[in-house]
Amino acid sequence: MLSQLLTSIIDDIQGDTITLRELLERCGREGMLMVCAIACLPFLIPVSIPGVSTVFGAAIVLLAFALFLNRLPWLPQRILDKGMDAQKLKPVLHKGVNIVGKMDRWLQPRMTALTTAPMQRFNSAVLVFGGLLLMAPLGLIPFSNTVPAVGILLLTVGMMQRDGVFVLLGYLGHILTVVYFGVLAYLAWVGGTFVFS
């Protein structure tokens, strides 16, 4: 079960801080996609932890780009070794895993054409785009991190479990994110026009 695997990784976090390097080491062979999944979890809960969206968003972009190139990732030391408050992060991660647990019973290999090697490159490119959306400096706007995180999580889980339905849901999540950000941009433009006219 994916939720059990994520829980075991999170439970292994010790000490006051955790770094991305330590998370990658704990995730092992499936590390890149697993870290992408873990990186989404804090944004499923309406709790803000300063600096997390930048670190996790950048990690998703770089890991997904490595998946696209089918090679081991290169990550800047500044991102790998930036300490994050483990005592604040662990409870949020566990709450995110509870949401993933609700998906477990629906996950199964199907529509596997969407998870073949050629499609993995396309899926990885979509993940890069999702990571960039997650890094957008819109932290004070409701759901600006949650919406892209849901799309990334669905796509990542679909890739890991070879479930094409979840891959499609991940695509839909990214499309909805673009629509949501587009609406925000339009409202900001209209508001600016009204204020300065």
Side-chain angles (χ1 to χ4, degrees), residues 74-89:
W74 173 84
L75 295 170
Q77 190 170 338
R78 185 171 60 86
I79 291 175
L80 276 174
D81 295 324
K82 180 176 172 58
M84 294 171 283
D85 190 331
Q87 302 311 310
K88 289 182 180 176
L89 195 56

Side-chain angles (χ1 to χ4, degrees), residues 1 14 17 22 31-32 63 92 117 124 135 176 184 190 197:
M1 301 287 274
Q14 304 294 330
T17 61
E22 292 168 323
M32 291 194 280
L63 290 171
V92 175
S124 300
M135 291 176 68
L176 291 176
L184 291 177
V190 169
S197 63

Side-chain angles (χ1 to χ4, degrees), residues 106-175:
W106 302 104
L107 285 163
Q108 57 181 299
R110 55 190 162 176
M111 295 177 65
T112 54
L114 292 173
T115 63
T116 58
M119 283 304 295
Q120 291 288 53
R121 286 178 67 86
F122 177 75
N123 294 339
S124 300
V126 176
L127 278 180
V128 170
F129 181 61
L132 292 171
L133 292 173
L134 188 62
M135 291 176 68
L138 302 171
L140 298 176
I141 298 173
F143 307 113
S144 61
N145 285 332
T146 303
V147 179
V150 169
I152 294 167
L153 180 63
L154 290 169
L155 181 54
T156 302
V157 167
M159 291 168 71
M160 289 171 61
Q161 302 294 315
R162 294 183 58 78
D163 191 331
V165 171
F166 274 77
V167 169
L168 285 174
L169 290 173
Y171 296 162
L172 179 61
H174 283 76
I175 292 168

